[in-house]
């Protein structure tokens, strides 16, 4: 273990790997959805999608606790404790005899994963703020985006060599290596003098303080709408590729192409956010994605075969690129006025945004009817609302 600060390159890579715990836990499961449905829910194959959203729901619940705990005990101990819960729950997932047991274990796994996801954001806020934080988050997201590119391929490879349950053993190994890196290389970012006692009154007061910042409330709503579109897409994309476009076997390769290409969003944000500001970038991204979604809806109604598939892929690239142009900026805007309570702020913001997104994503995912229409309509509604809210309530582009 060292007290020497990491270079920005290594810090970005480490933060990206902490974020990647989430991406692997979600995206590596996508190729396994048909096997999970056939094994544990043959009578209701759409229910297998809940393996994704139950994890996300647990993550949202867990973020309520991890931030305040990290404000009291420091960032690194809380991340490592969360990783331990994550690993134990992954073992329970591996041995789950029924879909109900698997969903409960995934919920707990999500609670554990909340620590690396939320507390890493507080670590970044400990060291950076404003546009510089948004810029750093863009670099983190660029590295992080490489993980979804390989996660379905990893999942498919594990299924070919063993079975879908073995994916959970790979998740344990990844988390263990990341914790080793964190423990040996990253200094604690929250000095003991800046830590806050775990008193209910102070937590309530800090939470009320968040509510007094309009930008925080607007950011939470925008994150819920944006992540709702993302998780609805992640729940539906594998069935769409399999049922609509008949590309089940090649799905991990196409998903990798989508993930790698969509890195352009984070790269573009890192280049323009310092000059244009976060608000302008967010609004332009929502407008572009809404136009793309409406165009895809119209084209998919007229096209079929390879042309329809090309439209589907291009649309997915646009959606994932939008994440790189919005989420880092929304987090930076929300965290800017609350740096003195960064851990609790990151928890409340992430928790409310994530739980809200799950409530929005589940009905869109379960509406899958053998076509891409329910997903595209759902995303159009969510992004349309996000665009309207960003225009009406996000404030002037003075950041």
């Amino acid at each position: 273990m060292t007290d020497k600060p990491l270079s920005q390159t290594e810090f970005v890579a480490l933060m990206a790997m902490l974020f990647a715990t989430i991406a692997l836990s979600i995206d590596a499961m996508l190729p396994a959805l048909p096997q999970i449905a056939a094994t544990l829910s043959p009578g209701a194959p759409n229910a297998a999608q809940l393996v994704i959203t139950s994890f996300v729901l647990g993550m949202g619940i867990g973020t309520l606790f991890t931030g305040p705990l990290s404000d009291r005990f420091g960032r690194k101990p809380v991340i490592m404790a969360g990783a331990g819960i994550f690993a134990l729950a992954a073992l329970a997932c591996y041995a789950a005899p029924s879909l109900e047991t698997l969903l409960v274990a995934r919920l707990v796994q999500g609670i554990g994963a909340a620590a690396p996801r939320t507390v890493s954001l507080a670590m970044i806020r400990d060291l950076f703020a404003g546009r510089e934080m948004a810029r750093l988050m863009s670099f983190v997201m660029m590295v992080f985006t490489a993980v979804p590119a390989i996660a379905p391929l990893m999942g498919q490879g594990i299924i070919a060599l063993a079975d879908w349950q073995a994916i959970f053993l790979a998740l344990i190994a990844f988390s263990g290596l990341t914790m080793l890196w964190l423990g040996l290389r990253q200094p604690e970012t929250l000095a003991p003098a800046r830590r806050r006692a775990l008193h209910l009154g102070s937590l309530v007061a800090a939470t009320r303080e968040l509510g007094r910042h309009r930008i925080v409330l607007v950011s939470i709503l925008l994150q819920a709408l944006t992540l709702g579109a993302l998780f609805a897409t992640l729940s539906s994309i594998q069935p769409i590729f399999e049922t609509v476009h008949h590309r089940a076997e090649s799905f991990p390769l196409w998903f990798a192409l989508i993930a790698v290409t969509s890195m352009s969003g984070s790269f573009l944000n890192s280049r323009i956010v310092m000059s244009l500001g976060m608000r302008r970038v967010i609004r332009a991204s929502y407008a572009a994605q809404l136009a793309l979604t409406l165009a895809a809806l119209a084209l998919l109604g007229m096209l079929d075969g390879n042309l329809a598939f090309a439209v589907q892929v291009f649309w997915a690239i646009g959606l994932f690129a939008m994440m790189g142009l919005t989420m880092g900026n929304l987090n930076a805007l929300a965290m800017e006025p609350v740096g003195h309570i960064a851990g609790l702020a990151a928890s409340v913001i992430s928790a409310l945004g994530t739980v809200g997104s799950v409530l929005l994503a589940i009905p869109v995912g379960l509406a899958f009817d053998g076509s891409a229409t329910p997903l595209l309509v759902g995303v159009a509604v969510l992004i349309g609302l996000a665009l309207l809210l960003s225009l009406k309530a996000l404030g002037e582009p003075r950041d």
Side-chain angles (χ1 to χ4, degrees):
M1 188 167 57
T2 178
D3 292 328
K4 182 180 179 182
L6 297 184
S7 67
Q8 188 171 105
T9 299
E10 185 177 356
F11 181 73
V12 165
L14 176 57
M15 294 301 103
M17 289 302 99
L18 292 173
F19 276 52
T21 304
I22 308 301
L24 273 179
S25 301
I26 294 172
D27 298 333
M29 300 305 302
L30 297 179
L33 292 180
Q35 288 85 352
I36 294 173
T39 304
L40 300 180
S41 62
N46 261 8
Q49 295 182 13
L50 297 175
V51 170
I52 306 298
T53 48
S54 61
F55 175 86
V56 177
L57 179 60
M59 187 173 62
I61 295 170
T63 54
L64 287 171
F65 307 100
T66 53
L69 288 171
S70 76
D71 281 343
R72 171 62 181 88
F73 298 106
R75 311 305 188 202
K76 287 174 63 175
V78 173
I79 292 177
M80 291 181 173
I85 295 172
F86 175 88
L88 291 174
L91 285 176
C93 291
Y94 176 79
S98 66
L99 181 63
E100 292 77 13
T101 304
L102 177 61
L103 294 181
V104 171
R106 284 285 282 176
L107 183 78
V108 177
Q109 191 183 26
I111 291 173
R117 185 240 190 172
T118 305
V119 181
S120 58
L121 180 61
M123 293 182 80
I124 295 171
R125 180 59 185 87
D126 287 339
L127 303 174
F128 303 93
R131 294 189 187 187
E132 186 61 25
M133 179 180 174
R135 181 172 177 269
L136 188 90
M137 286 293 296
S138 294
F139 291 131
V140 170
M141 292 300 291
M142 272 193 287
V143 179
F144 161 77
T145 306
V147 176
I150 63 171
L153 285 170
M154 183 192 83
Q156 189 178 58
I158 292 171
I159 293 169
L161 293 174
D163 50 38
W164 63 267
Q165 291 94 336
I167 294 172
F168 296 108
L169 302 181
L171 295 178
I172 294 172
F174 177 85
S175 179
L177 290 174
T178 306
M179 289 306 104
L180 186 63
W181 185 3
L182 176 74
L184 293 178
R185 295 288 297 159
Q186 173 61 47
E188 174 61 54
T189 60
L190 186 67
R194 294 175 54 210
R195 295 178 188 179
R196 300 168 62 93
L198 272 177
H199 296 309
L200 180 60
S202 61
L203 294 179
V204 170
T207 303
R208 285 177 177 168
E209 180 180 345
L210 291 179
R212 290 195 292 269
H213 294 283
R214 184 169 183 251
I215 188 63
V216 174
L217 300 178
V218 173
S219 175
I220 290 170
L221 291 173
L222 288 173
Q223 288 187 47
L225 292 164
T226 308
L227 290 173
L230 173 67
F231 294 134
T233 301
L234 288 174
S235 296
S236 302
I237 192 168
Q238 194 280 334
I240 288 173
F241 272 54
E242 178 180 7
T243 305
V244 180
H245 301 294
H246 310 293
R247 285 174 167 84
E249 292 299 320
S250 59
F251 166 71
L253 295 174
W254 287 110
F255 193 86
L257 173 66
I258 291 167
V260 170
T261 309
S262 67
M263 290 174 66
S264 59
S266 295
F267 176 76
L268 178 62
N269 190 64
S270 72
R271 302 301 297 266
I272 65 176
V273 71
M274 298 294 284
S275 57
L276 295 181
M278 293 176 274
R279 290 170 175 84
R280 287 192 182 97
V281 174
I282 290 167
R283 288 165 175 154
S285 301
Y286 286 144
Q289 184 57 38
L290 179 60
L292 179 60
T293 302
L294 294 175
L297 261 172
L299 289 171
L300 289 174
M302 298 184 291
L303 303 174
D304 56 18
N306 290 333
L307 288 176
F309 180 65
V311 170
Q312 188 82 61
V313 169
F314 187 73
W315 174 82
I317 290 171
L319 181 80
F320 285 106
M322 179 200 69
M323 301 301 299
L325 286 158
T326 55
M327 287 304 296
N329 294 332
L330 288 171
N331 274 310
L333 282 172
M335 294 291 288
E336 190 168 13
V338 291
H340 58 293
I341 51 170
L344 183 139
S347 281
V348 174
I349 292 165
S350 297
L352 295 179
T354 302
V355 172
S357 73
V358 172
L359 297 178
L360 295 170
I362 286 177
V364 177
L366 292 179
F368 176 68
D369 61 356
S371 75
T373 301
L375 173 63
L376 290 174
V377 170
V379 169
V381 171
L382 294 174
I383 299 304
L385 290 172
L387 175 60
L388 182 62
L389 180 62
S390 68
L391 289 172
K392 295 290 186 180
L394 198 56
E396 294 302 314
R398 61 185 180 276
D399 48 87

